Amino acid sequence: MQISSAALLKTSSAATTPPTLAERYRAVRRASMALAAPLTAEDAMVQSMPEASPAKWHLAHTTWFFEQFVLGRQPGYQPLQPQWRALFNSYYQSIGPAHARAQRGLLSRPALSQVLEYRAQVDDRVGQCLRAGTLDGEAQRHLELGLQHEQQHQELLLTDIKHALWSSPLQPAYRDDLSAPPTSPASDAALWIESPERIVEIGAPAWPAHARFAYDNESPRHRVLVPAHALADRPLSNAEYRAFIDDGGYRDPLLWMSDGWAQLQAGQWRRPLYWDEALEREYTLGGWRALDPDAPVCHLSWFEADACARWAGARLPTEFEWEAAASARPPAGNFADAGLLHPKAAPVAGPGVPRQLFGDVWEWTSSAYGAYPGFRPLPGSAGEYNGKFMCGQFVLRGGSCATPAGHVRASYRNFFPPAARWQFGGLRLARDI
Amino acid sequence: MQISSAALLKTSSAATTPPTLAERYRAVRRASMALAAPLTAEDAMVQSMPEASPAKWHLAHTTWFFEQFVLGRQPGYQPLQPQWRALFNSYYQSIGPAHARAQRGLLSRPALSQVLEYRAQVDDRVGQCLRAGTLDGEAQRHLELGLQHEQQHQELLLTDIKHALWSSPLQPAYRDDLSAPPTSPASDAALWIESPERIVEIGAPAWPAHARFAYDNESPRHRVLVPAHALADRPLSNAEYRAFIDDGGYRDPLLWMSDGWAQLQAGQWRRPLYWDEALEREYTLGGWRALDPDAPVCHLSWFEADACARWAGARLPTEFEWEAAASARPPAGNFADAGLLHPKAAPVAGPGVPRQLFGDVWEWTSSAYGAYPGFRPLPGSAGEYNGKFMCGQFVLRGGSCATPAGHVRASYRNFFPPAARWQFGGLRLARDI
Amino acid sequence: MQISSAALLKTSSAATTPPTLAERYRAVRRASMALAAPLTAEDAMVQSMPEASPAKWHLAHTTWFFEQFVLGRQPGYQPLQPQWRALFNSYYQSIGPAHARAQRGLLSRPALSQVLEYRAQVDDRVGQCLRAGTLDGEAQRHLELGLQHEQQHQELLLTDIKHALWSSPLQPAYRDDLSAPPTSPASDAALWIESPERIVEIGAPAWPAHARFAYDNESPRHRVLVPAHALADRPLSNAEYRAFIDDGGYRDPLLWMSDGWAQLQAGQWRRPLYWDEALEREYTLGGWRALDPDAPVCHLSWFEADACARWAGARLPTEFEWEAAASARPPAGNFADAGLLHPKAAPVAGPGVPRQLFGDVWEWTSSAYGAYPGFRPLPGSAGEYNGKFMCGQFVLRGGSCATPAGHVRASYRNFFPPAARWQFGGLRLARDI
Amino acid sequence: MQISSAALLKTSSAATTPPTLAERYRAVRRASMALAAPLTAEDAMVQSMPEASPAKWHLAHTTWFFEQFVLGRQPGYQPLQPQWRALFNSYYQSIGPAHARAQRGLLSRPALSQVLEYRAQVDDRVGQCLRAGTLDGEAQRHLELGLQHEQQHQELLLTDIKHALWSSPLQPAYRDDLSAPPTSPASDAALWIESPERIVEIGAPAWPAHARFAYDNESPRHRVLVPAHALADRPLSNAEYRAFIDDGGYRDPLLWMSDGWAQLQAGQWRRPLYWDEALEREYTLGGWRALDPDAPVCHLSWFEADACARWAGARLPTEFEWEAAASARPPAGNFADAGLLHPKAAPVAGPGVPRQLFGDVWEWTSSAYGAYPGFRPLPGSAGEYNGKFMCGQFVLRGGSCATPAGHVRASYRNFFPPAARWQFGGLRLARDI
């Protein structure tokens, strides 16, 4: 691949003035290129399961999104590659046919080099528009949406390539130069942080009416009565999850949802996705490594997180309990920009201060993904972005070590089906008080 | 079948003194026999899909429940048929192995006559215990649970046999002597009933600590902030659903959840489950009949109910909105005891009074089935009754024309996966205000 | 079931004059009733896998065959039950739609009693025609075909009900009054019977041009060059097959066809279909019994027969080798009429005389089922009887303990897919010399 | 890809002295490289269905074969890449585990460049052995087998990449520089060539006992009585097959095997694999082209060939009838070395001389693939090459336009399951006389 492997992952600036839209566009687009840099054209083509996409497809689809939603709304716009319209459409029925999701691994054509050229051409055109100031408000809003969209796909690119390379019999590392996160000097027990019953403002004001970006599924901001409860001050650790396994957690159906038990049997689940059979090592984006007992457990399905919480005499938090705790905290943590691409052990606890709410691992909640009261999808095709997935999935919160810094916030709602475990999903315990 | 076809369905007494436990036991058990009376031994053996069970199995399983949970807790109890223990275990992992659910149609043995004999023997033993007063409190509570359980299976017996007989190429009626519900003199438009934001007490106090029976999934009673909204004063009618179909509702992916659209295509859905292709007739427990335009539409999946509500510019209510409306109303309506076994047109509306909240059709809500804050499953094996199904399903409320009268209440939560449509499921519209 | 359980299985007469067509019709029809006599209506409805049919369906389909092919060719014939035309059509595309094979277990209607009434009505009409002599030659030929057809279904009824009752968790016997076959005083080693290369006349002259009945797939009679070879003088025994198992036969992929090994793994095959895990007992139509080491092994798939022959340093015979040996022998043996319904140990060997070619077990051959040179299917719908199954199956020869006496002959070709093992299939070894 | 696109396909020499084993090794290995030359590393990785393999896998597996069977038998041999042993094992159970066939598309690692390097290293070592004369007889025989094996994979590489590129939504040509075969000046009707009944010597003497190479499945040479029959003097043409389609061939179940009709419905077959819906154009290795009505029809399954022959009032020939006709003819024709990579119209007929027996299209026969009398697999792991596939497949004869020249002979037996149609399969009519 011709792009420089030295490209920066960093997309947020430390400058005192906020970056312009053009600056942000360049930074986000460059970050995708950096993530793809370690991959050969062959690596970038693998689709290891229907739910995961090839890296090349991510690179193309995110570009298609800008062409379709930003450039394409200009009068008389001629698509760069008309026959790619269906190829890189993910699921927008209002735009037209889409190449079947499970068949994305067949796309040897266009070549990765052609996709990179396509990226350059779209970037060039978007750049011209930005410099010329020819993007109307609607186009600018879709450009913003496209940047958020591309950041989501940056994380998907990482989770999907992790699964793809792990699925290869040779199980190569995504990057050989990744250093393992530092271990903790001393592990500590998680502490409970209690909250009384109260009414909490949940969610974000609807964008773009409100200036600050949020997805439509985070709005409207509304009041929720959150009952009294306690929340662990850090995510569950590998050592704690190992105790669940050692105690027969994967052999006791009474700990599991009925569907989870069926899934465990069908998939012969015995441990988190990337752990070895001896429960001592795990496959990471940097290759196989010893498990850090103090790091948050990850690559759990909701079924596993739920069962482990039950075993622990606790439960998963609701997404409202989580957000109530997180909304007062800065969205800082171990994100992709930190360059570890793996969760790390919790920092030392302050009194009553929750740790690692942001970054490290997405935290499964007990909340089924659904619409907030008064939810309105974005108008037009962008309305297909989130709303039509509001059944059969559970909400995860807080971002992970593979999420771009600056992408998530307290009101951010990620969602996956309960059996999915190839994303960086862990858990934080909660209990009724 | 040797039992009298004249047996009464009625299980609730109009007497001024409440029935004793023994009286209720006899009434509930007799009602199951009455439901099975129109069936031959061959009919009672059909399993038309993995989710549905043969009528014979329902008759045996409900009996097994009493033997297992009531008689079986007596010291030294000898099971009547030790080899049936697994056969009629539905899903209680803590009790032992269970015959595979999808294979229940293979059970030509035991014969229906043997199952009826088994019922008589268990009834005899339970009767002796009740007369002798040898049931301790725990046993009495499980007897109560068993009665509730059997009432649930009475409805399942009806929905399952409806599917079984419809699946037969000859499509016979379950009962030839069922008269069609009376039609309405004049159809009327549904009215919206508005409610302001308020905190509502939801659920029921936990039984058996509290004397009045409720399932564990209805408790604890807790406070929920219900936002301002409007609720239709009656369920959606066949005529209204027909307008959705005529307007292309089954051809427009933008109205559907993504999973729902996939299901529609896989199942080639074009109309409710039991409608004919001309949209003029429907298969009922009394055989094929003309559709009553004013009767509530039923045999919808959640996907269809959700899509139709979206088409109507509305949404499904949350289970809390529904309960808030229903908790002030008596749980009366067109239940199985009315003998129609089919929904009927709405009665004339009073001002601002919701109609048909109870009976006629189960009403799909937008609420994913989950645990209430502080939920505790019943102790022991009964804890497997409800809790382990709390993922991937949606809540339905209010009971149907196939539910035994007296079985449901405002806090009652039924649940099914979003693609299920062989139960009597309809919808009531809601909207934000 | 109302028919007498004392009805005779015997359909062949010991009288010196051959039976008339009317006598044979009555005898064959009566034999089916006798086979169904031990079954309840519930037993007669079970379909334990798509390949097997309920006993009730066999009783109805064989009757449908006479109504369709014999009565139905009379001008102006009015079908007894027009809506059963599709229900009991097996696979005759030229006749019209057929109820899906895998859904035959749904047919609680018509009731077994109705099917028996249907049988009586058709028998009555056929009887009238035979007495009145109103059947033309074509109708008489289809009557003959119908009798052969019903005899085939008599065997299928037995094999299918064996599988159905075994599939029931209670595994009842089909008949409690069946005595186990007598054991042999002393087991003896199989002997090889050698044949030099020679041209053999294979097959039967085409019926009905030739008076003696044979299926179209047995004709034309034609010349085949059969190479020099040796054939075992009796089928392989349970003890010999047990040695194959004990020697790791089910664990060594090199003994198996590639497809067979895949099937073994998918089905977790470790032994013949009805053997217990300890390799000591087997399920029979008379219930569970100790294995007779000297009896022919049965309920093998072609894959198992082929692998075991390879392990033994031998091979399966071709169907021509088998027929060359059998054509000089009378088609006598342990057939269904003997009342054992299970294979029995070989009789004492004469010098160079093959034993048990007929009856006991169908013998798998190495011959794929195909058309003989010059093969012509029967004209009309009867042409669908055999020809369209000539791919993907292997030929079995000689009949079994479940075949009606008089039904098979040296040229008779049975056929099943290589993974099928619920029929009474065994093997006889052959080798090149 | 770094190899020259000008490399020659030709592997047979016109020189008067036969090439040495070393010369043949180089030529065959070079030919594979030439076939892969038009492909990018991404193209070479696509697996479009479980039955087809990526081009890269073919390049590696053929090399593995030499390393395993030739180099590996030298004492103390150290494998070049021990971890590739399972990766590129196709199905040799006696050698060890094999990477799952359906998962070959996951192999982004090793890269194509590494596979090419692996080829070079193995070629270097084999070359050294050949020059040093250190290969014993057994190794030389496996080298010969490896060359034959690689030629088979050359054809598979072409058929698999054709399917892969056609499966891509963009449907690029494999080679843009391929010219379409010349059309025929005038089409002519096929003529029948009659043969009387006679005994024919079929097959080839067993190699390596006999010097001339043949696969084990072609031996032993043995006598077969071939009945009187007639054979068409050329394969069926596109125009003739089009008449079958136009006459409703794909809508009449009576023309089809029962399994074929089920397959037609499941796969919604309406025409040969690569034809367009208008029946006017076909996808070729040179891209989309107009159908030549006079060229042999190809990409038919056995089911289609069989149905079309039945429609034509004829049948498929047996493999013996085909071989009897072909054994007197030189194995010359339109092979891959001709550079067309597509069938071409028949040359002008001579009187009674069969045309296009070799090359153009593989000809489906009515013969199920099985063992010849006296068949012995090769000793050792090579015995897994052919014998374990002798069930469920049909024999094809004569080679195709994608077969390397010099690879096939009159006794050569190819085999595929009856539903396979991505290979160049056509048919020649036969009939009984």
Side-chain angles (χ1 to χ4, degrees), chain A residues 42-43 45-46 56 83 87 99 107-109 112 169-170 172, chain D residues 42-43 45-46 56 83 87 99 107-109 112 169-170 172:
Chain A
E42 289 155 284
D43 293 335
M45 212 184 108
V46 180
K56 179 166 73 176
Q83 72 276 40
L87 236 54
H99 179 66
L107 301 177
S108 69
R109 315 284 179 97
L112 176 59
L170 301 179
Chain D
E42 289 155 284
D43 293 335
M45 213 184 106
V46 180
K56 178 166 72 176
Q83 72 277 40
L87 237 54
H99 178 66
L107 300 176
S108 70
R109 313 285 179 97
L112 176 58
L170 301 179

mmCIF file of all heavy atoms in Angstrom, chain A residues 42-43 45-46 56 83 87 99 107-109 112 169-170 172, chain D residues 42-43 45-46 56 83 87 99 107-109 112 169-170 172:
data_model
loop_
_atom_site.group_PDB
_atom_site.id
_atom_site.type_symbol
_atom_site.label_atom_id
_atom_site.label_comp_id
_atom_site.label_asym_id
_atom_site.label_seq_id
_atom_site.Cartn_x
_atom_site.Cartn_y
_atom_site.Cartn_z
ATOM 1 N N GLU A 42 -4.285 -7.563 0.036
ATOM 2 C CA GLU A 42 -4.960 -8.827 0.331
ATOM 3 C C GLU A 42 -5.616 -8.793 1.716
ATOM 4 O O GLU A 42 -6.759 -9.208 1.876
ATOM 5 C CB GLU A 42 -3.945 -9.974 0.248
ATOM 6 C CG GLU A 42 -3.493 -10.271 -1.172
ATOM 7 C CD GLU A 42 -2.119 -10.914 -1.217
ATOM 8 O OE1 GLU A 42 -1.112 -10.162 -1.031
ATOM 9 O OE2 GLU A 42 -2.037 -12.136 -1.437
ATOM 10 N N ASP A 43 -4.901 -8.297 2.711
ATOM 11 C CA ASP A 43 -5.505 -8.161 4.041
ATOM 12 C C ASP A 43 -6.778 -7.322 3.963
ATOM 13 O O ASP A 43 -7.777 -7.623 4.628
ATOM 14 C CB ASP A 43 -4.550 -7.455 5.007
ATOM 15 C CG ASP A 43 -3.301 -8.263 5.329
ATOM 16 O OD1 ASP A 43 -3.355 -9.504 5.223
ATOM 17 O OD2 ASP A 43 -2.288 -7.630 5.694
ATOM 18 N N MET A 45 -8.947 -7.081 1.941
ATOM 19 C CA MET A 45 -10.054 -7.680 1.193
ATOM 20 C C MET A 45 -10.785 -8.762 1.963
ATOM 21 O O MET A 45 -11.851 -9.214 1.556
ATOM 22 C CB MET A 45 -9.475 -8.283 -0.080
ATOM 23 C CG MET A 45 -10.425 -8.226 -1.236
ATOM 24 S SD MET A 45 -9.645 -9.063 -2.620
ATOM 25 C CE MET A 45 -10.633 -10.544 -2.653
ATOM 26 N N VAL A 46 -10.229 -9.198 3.089
ATOM 27 C CA VAL A 46 -10.806 -10.337 3.799
ATOM 28 C C VAL A 46 -12.127 -9.967 4.469
ATOM 29 O O VAL A 46 -12.230 -8.931 5.127
ATOM 30 C CB VAL A 46 -9.834 -10.860 4.882
ATOM 31 C CG1 VAL A 46 -10.446 -12.045 5.619
ATOM 32 C CG2 VAL A 46 -8.508 -11.237 4.269
ATOM 33 N N LYS A 56 -10.942 -2.597 2.869
ATOM 34 C CA LYS A 56 -11.117 -1.855 1.606
ATOM 35 C C LYS A 56 -12.543 -1.337 1.478
ATOM 36 O O LYS A 56 -12.755 -0.205 1.021
ATOM 37 C CB LYS A 56 -10.768 -2.766 0.433
ATOM 38 C CG LYS A 56 -10.944 -2.101 -0.923
ATOM 39 C CD LYS A 56 -10.273 -2.893 -2.045
ATOM 40 C CE LYS A 56 -11.036 -4.161 -2.364
ATOM 41 N NZ LYS A 56 -10.437 -4.874 -3.520
ATOM 42 N N GLN A 83 -20.998 2.868 -11.424
ATOM 43 C CA GLN A 83 -21.282 1.467 -11.108
ATOM 44 C C GLN A 83 -20.861 1.102 -9.673
ATOM 45 O O GLN A 83 -21.075 -0.019 -9.243
ATOM 46 C CB GLN A 83 -20.641 0.537 -12.139
ATOM 47 C CG GLN A 83 -19.148 0.407 -12.066
ATOM 48 C CD GLN A 83 -18.411 1.523 -12.803
ATOM 49 O OE1 GLN A 83 -18.793 2.692 -12.769
ATOM 50 N NE2 GLN A 83 -17.314 1.162 -13.438
ATOM 51 N N LEU A 87 -22.310 -0.811 -5.080
ATOM 52 C CA LEU A 87 -21.230 -1.579 -4.463
ATOM 53 C C LEU A 87 -20.931 -1.116 -3.049
ATOM 54 O O LEU A 87 -20.655 -1.926 -2.160
ATOM 55 C CB LEU A 87 -19.962 -1.375 -5.306
ATOM 56 C CG LEU A 87 -19.296 -2.611 -5.837
ATOM 57 C CD1 LEU A 87 -20.286 -3.446 -6.603
ATOM 58 C CD2 LEU A 87 -18.120 -2.237 -6.724
ATOM 59 N N HIS A 99 -25.094 -3.866 -2.787
ATOM 60 C CA HIS A 99 -24.397 -5.157 -2.879
ATOM 61 C C HIS A 99 -24.591 -5.904 -1.562
ATOM 62 O O HIS A 99 -24.513 -5.317 -0.481
ATOM 63 C CB HIS A 99 -22.910 -4.884 -3.145
ATOM 64 C CG HIS A 99 -22.078 -6.120 -3.233
ATOM 65 N ND1 HIS A 99 -22.220 -7.040 -4.248
ATOM 66 C CD2 HIS A 99 -21.079 -6.585 -2.443
ATOM 67 C CE1 HIS A 99 -21.350 -8.023 -4.068
ATOM 68 N NE2 HIS A 99 -20.647 -7.769 -2.980
ATOM 69 N N LEU A 107 -15.131 -8.649 -3.575
ATOM 70 C CA LEU A 107 -14.784 -7.466 -4.358
ATOM 71 C C LEU A 107 -13.279 -7.326 -4.546
ATOM 72 O O LEU A 107 -12.637 -6.470 -3.956
ATOM 73 C CB LEU A 107 -15.370 -6.225 -3.693
ATOM 74 C CG LEU A 107 -16.903 -6.224 -3.534
ATOM 75 C CD1 LEU A 107 -17.369 -4.981 -2.793
ATOM 76 C CD2 LEU A 107 -17.566 -6.297 -4.903
ATOM 77 N N SER A 108 -12.723 -8.165 -5.412
ATOM 78 C CA SER A 108 -11.317 -7.919 -5.777
ATOM 79 C C SER A 108 -11.222 -6.674 -6.650
ATOM 80 O O SER A 108 -10.183 -6.012 -6.685
ATOM 81 C CB SER A 108 -10.737 -9.130 -6.514
ATOM 82 O OG SER A 108 -11.311 -9.280 -7.794
ATOM 83 N N ARG A 109 -12.299 -6.394 -7.334
ATOM 84 C CA ARG A 109 -12.412 -5.157 -8.091
ATOM 85 C C ARG A 109 -13.494 -4.307 -7.473
ATOM 86 O O ARG A 109 -14.547 -4.835 -7.160
ATOM 87 C CB ARG A 109 -12.795 -5.461 -9.564
ATOM 88 C CG ARG A 109 -12.025 -6.575 -10.194
ATOM 89 C CD ARG A 109 -10.638 -6.155 -10.566
ATOM 90 N NE ARG A 109 -9.916 -7.288 -11.163
ATOM 91 C CZ ARG A 109 -9.784 -7.496 -12.489
ATOM 92 N NH1 ARG A 109 -10.313 -6.673 -13.358
ATOM 93 N NH2 ARG A 109 -9.109 -8.532 -12.938
ATOM 94 N N LEU A 112 -7.654 -2.120 -4.299
ATOM 95 C CA LEU A 112 -7.383 -1.173 -3.225
ATOM 96 C C LEU A 112 -6.797 0.118 -3.790
ATOM 97 O O LEU A 112 -7.162 1.224 -3.364
ATOM 98 C CB LEU A 112 -6.422 -1.799 -2.206
ATOM 99 C CG LEU A 112 -5.972 -0.892 -1.067
ATOM 100 C CD1 LEU A 112 -7.167 -0.373 -0.257
ATOM 101 C CD2 LEU A 112 -5.007 -1.625 -0.138
ATOM 102 N N PRO A 169 -5.345 -18.862 9.600
ATOM 103 C CA PRO A 169 -4.602 -19.864 10.376
ATOM 104 C C PRO A 169 -3.268 -19.350 10.897
ATOM 105 O O PRO A 169 -2.781 -19.824 11.922
ATOM 106 C CB PRO A 169 -4.402 -20.990 9.368
ATOM 107 C CG PRO A 169 -5.494 -20.822 8.365
ATOM 108 C CD PRO A 169 -5.735 -19.352 8.274
ATOM 109 N N LEU A 170 -2.682 -18.380 10.224
ATOM 110 C CA LEU A 170 -1.371 -17.891 10.662
ATOM 111 C C LEU A 170 -1.496 -16.841 11.771
ATOM 112 O O LEU A 170 -0.507 -16.549 12.444
ATOM 113 C CB LEU A 170 -0.605 -17.311 9.471
ATOM 114 C CG LEU A 170 -0.365 -18.313 8.337
ATOM 115 C CD1 LEU A 170 0.375 -17.631 7.188
ATOM 116 C CD2 LEU A 170 0.426 -19.517 8.833
ATOM 117 N N PRO A 172 -1.533 -13.550 12.112
ATOM 118 C CA PRO A 172 -0.513 -12.499 12.227
ATOM 119 C C PRO A 172 -1.045 -11.323 13.037
ATOM 120 O O PRO A 172 -2.258 -11.150 13.203
ATOM 121 C CB PRO A 172 -0.299 -12.073 10.769
ATOM 122 C CG PRO A 172 -1.619 -12.329 10.108
ATOM 123 C CD PRO A 172 -2.158 -13.574 10.772
ATOM 124 N N GLU D 42 -5.302 -9.336 -5.321
ATOM 125 C CA GLU D 42 -6.682 -9.357 -4.813
ATOM 126 C C GLU D 42 -7.531 -10.362 -5.586
ATOM 127 O O GLU D 42 -8.280 -11.136 -5.006
ATOM 128 C CB GLU D 42 -7.279 -7.958 -4.898
ATOM 129 C CG GLU D 42 -6.678 -6.978 -3.891
ATOM 130 C CD GLU D 42 -6.800 -5.532 -4.340
ATOM 131 O OE1 GLU D 42 -6.016 -5.123 -5.243
ATOM 132 O OE2 GLU D 42 -7.663 -4.810 -3.812
ATOM 133 N N ASP D 43 -7.433 -10.341 -6.909
ATOM 134 C CA ASP D 43 -8.168 -11.334 -7.700
ATOM 135 C C ASP D 43 -7.798 -12.746 -7.260
ATOM 136 O O ASP D 43 -8.653 -13.633 -7.183
ATOM 137 C CB ASP D 43 -7.805 -11.207 -9.190
ATOM 138 C CG ASP D 43 -8.291 -9.915 -9.817
ATOM 139 O OD1 ASP D 43 -9.264 -9.325 -9.315
ATOM 140 O OD2 ASP D 43 -7.679 -9.497 -10.827
ATOM 141 N N MET D 45 -7.179 -13.948 -4.632
ATOM 142 C CA MET D 45 -7.588 -14.327 -3.278
ATOM 143 C C MET D 45 -9.066 -14.663 -3.169
ATOM 144 O O MET D 45 -9.527 -15.170 -2.157
ATOM 145 C CB MET D 45 -7.272 -13.161 -2.351
ATOM 146 C CG MET D 45 -6.876 -13.589 -0.974
ATOM 147 S SD MET D 45 -6.665 -12.090 -0.004
ATOM 148 C CE MET D 45 -8.138 -12.172 0.982
ATOM 149 N N VAL D 46 -9.827 -14.362 -4.203
ATOM 150 C CA VAL D 46 -11.290 -14.513 -4.115
ATOM 151 C C VAL D 46 -11.701 -15.985 -4.090
ATOM 152 O O VAL D 46 -11.217 -16.781 -4.887
ATOM 153 C CB VAL D 46 -11.989 -13.824 -5.301
ATOM 154 C CG1 VAL D 46 -13.507 -13.988 -5.181
ATOM 155 C CG2 VAL D 46 -11.604 -12.370 -5.377
ATOM 156 N N LYS D 56 -4.557 -18.058 -5.801
ATOM 157 C CA LYS D 56 -3.360 -18.146 -4.959
ATOM 158 C C LYS D 56 -3.259 -19.504 -4.289
ATOM 159 O O LYS D 56 -2.169 -20.075 -4.174
ATOM 160 C CB LYS D 56 -3.402 -17.036 -3.896
ATOM 161 C CG LYS D 56 -2.227 -17.064 -2.942
ATOM 162 C CD LYS D 56 -2.102 -15.776 -2.139
ATOM 163 C CE LYS D 56 -3.189 -15.675 -1.096
ATOM 164 N NZ LYS D 56 -3.008 -14.464 -0.246
ATOM 165 N N GLN D 83 4.369 -24.219 8.945
ATOM 166 C CA GLN D 83 2.986 -23.883 9.278
ATOM 167 C C GLN D 83 2.078 -23.829 8.050
ATOM 168 O O GLN D 83 0.882 -23.612 8.180
ATOM 169 C CB GLN D 83 2.923 -22.574 10.075
ATOM 170 C CG GLN D 83 3.202 -21.322 9.288
ATOM 171 C CD GLN D 83 4.687 -21.029 9.129
ATOM 172 O OE1 GLN D 83 5.510 -21.939 8.913
ATOM 173 N NE2 GLN D 83 5.048 -19.770 9.197
ATOM 174 N N LEU D 87 -2.223 -25.607 5.736
ATOM 175 C CA LEU D 87 -2.865 -24.558 4.939
ATOM 176 C C LEU D 87 -3.137 -24.992 3.512
ATOM 177 O O LEU D 87 -4.165 -24.667 2.927
ATOM 178 C CB LEU D 87 -1.923 -23.344 4.899
ATOM 179 C CG LEU D 87 -2.463 -22.029 5.383
ATOM 180 C CD1 LEU D 87 -3.028 -22.184 6.764
ATOM 181 C CD2 LEU D 87 -1.386 -20.967 5.350
ATOM 182 N N HIS D 99 -6.644 -27.133 6.295
ATOM 183 C CA HIS D 99 -7.448 -25.922 6.439
ATOM 184 C C HIS D 99 -8.791 -26.144 5.744
ATOM 185 O O HIS D 99 -8.854 -26.705 4.654
ATOM 186 C CB HIS D 99 -6.682 -24.754 5.808
ATOM 187 C CG HIS D 99 -7.414 -23.458 5.855
ATOM 188 N ND1 HIS D 99 -7.691 -22.813 7.042
ATOM 189 C CD2 HIS D 99 -7.944 -22.680 4.875
ATOM 190 C CE1 HIS D 99 -8.341 -21.681 6.779
ATOM 191 N NE2 HIS D 99 -8.515 -21.583 5.473
ATOM 192 N N LEU D 107 -7.372 -16.460 3.420
ATOM 193 C CA LEU D 107 -5.906 -16.497 3.486
ATOM 194 C C LEU D 107 -5.274 -15.279 2.819
ATOM 195 O O LEU D 107 -4.687 -15.366 1.750
ATOM 196 C CB LEU D 107 -5.401 -17.793 2.842
ATOM 197 C CG LEU D 107 -5.901 -19.085 3.505
ATOM 198 C CD1 LEU D 107 -5.409 -20.303 2.729
ATOM 199 C CD2 LEU D 107 -5.437 -19.151 4.943
ATOM 200 N N SER D 108 -5.364 -14.130 3.499
ATOM 201 C CA SER D 108 -4.590 -12.982 3.002
ATOM 202 C C SER D 108 -3.107 -13.223 3.248
ATOM 203 O O SER D 108 -2.261 -12.681 2.552
ATOM 204 C CB SER D 108 -5.054 -11.699 3.677
ATOM 205 O OG SER D 108 -4.684 -11.678 5.033
ATOM 206 N N ARG D 109 -2.838 -14.027 4.258
ATOM 207 C CA ARG D 109 -1.471 -14.460 4.526
ATOM 208 C C ARG D 109 -1.386 -15.946 4.285
ATOM 209 O O ARG D 109 -2.266 -16.661 4.777
ATOM 210 C CB ARG D 109 -1.084 -14.155 5.986
ATOM 211 C CG ARG D 109 -1.429 -12.779 6.437
ATOM 212 C CD ARG D 109 -0.498 -11.730 5.889
ATOM 213 N NE ARG D 109 -0.903 -10.404 6.357
ATOM 214 C CZ ARG D 109 -0.372 -9.769 7.405
ATOM 215 N NH1 ARG D 109 0.578 -10.327 8.101
ATOM 216 N NH2 ARG D 109 -0.785 -8.561 7.751
ATOM 217 N N LEU D 112 0.398 -13.275 -1.917
ATOM 218 C CA LEU D 112 0.698 -13.861 -3.227
ATOM 219 C C LEU D 112 2.202 -13.822 -3.491
ATOM 220 O O LEU D 112 2.780 -14.781 -4.009
ATOM 221 C CB LEU D 112 -0.059 -13.098 -4.330
ATOM 222 C CG LEU D 112 0.226 -13.551 -5.758
ATOM 223 C CD1 LEU D 112 -0.086 -15.030 -5.954
ATOM 224 C CD2 LEU D 112 -0.567 -12.710 -6.758
ATOM 225 N N PRO D 169 -19.666 -7.835 -8.764
ATOM 226 C CA PRO D 169 -20.667 -7.004 -9.437
ATOM 227 C C PRO D 169 -20.135 -6.342 -10.711
ATOM 228 O O PRO D 169 -20.900 -6.054 -11.616
ATOM 229 C CB PRO D 169 -21.009 -5.957 -8.378
ATOM 230 C CG PRO D 169 -20.676 -6.597 -7.079
ATOM 231 C CD PRO D 169 -19.496 -7.484 -7.351
ATOM 232 N N LEU D 170 -18.849 -6.122 -10.782
ATOM 233 C CA LEU D 170 -18.305 -5.438 -11.963
ATOM 234 C C LEU D 170 -18.043 -6.394 -13.119
ATOM 235 O O LEU D 170 -17.840 -5.955 -14.247
ATOM 236 C CB LEU D 170 -17.010 -4.704 -11.585
ATOM 237 C CG LEU D 170 -17.176 -3.666 -10.468
ATOM 238 C CD1 LEU D 170 -15.829 -3.017 -10.152
ATOM 239 C CD2 LEU D 170 -18.190 -2.592 -10.867
ATOM 240 N N PRO D 172 -15.553 -8.128 -14.441
ATOM 241 C CA PRO D 172 -14.467 -7.844 -15.387
ATOM 242 C C PRO D 172 -14.070 -9.109 -16.144
ATOM 243 O O PRO D 172 -14.360 -10.225 -15.708
ATOM 244 C CB PRO D 172 -13.323 -7.402 -14.463
ATOM 245 C CG PRO D 172 -13.571 -8.142 -13.192
ATOM 246 C CD PRO D 172 -15.076 -8.192 -13.045
#
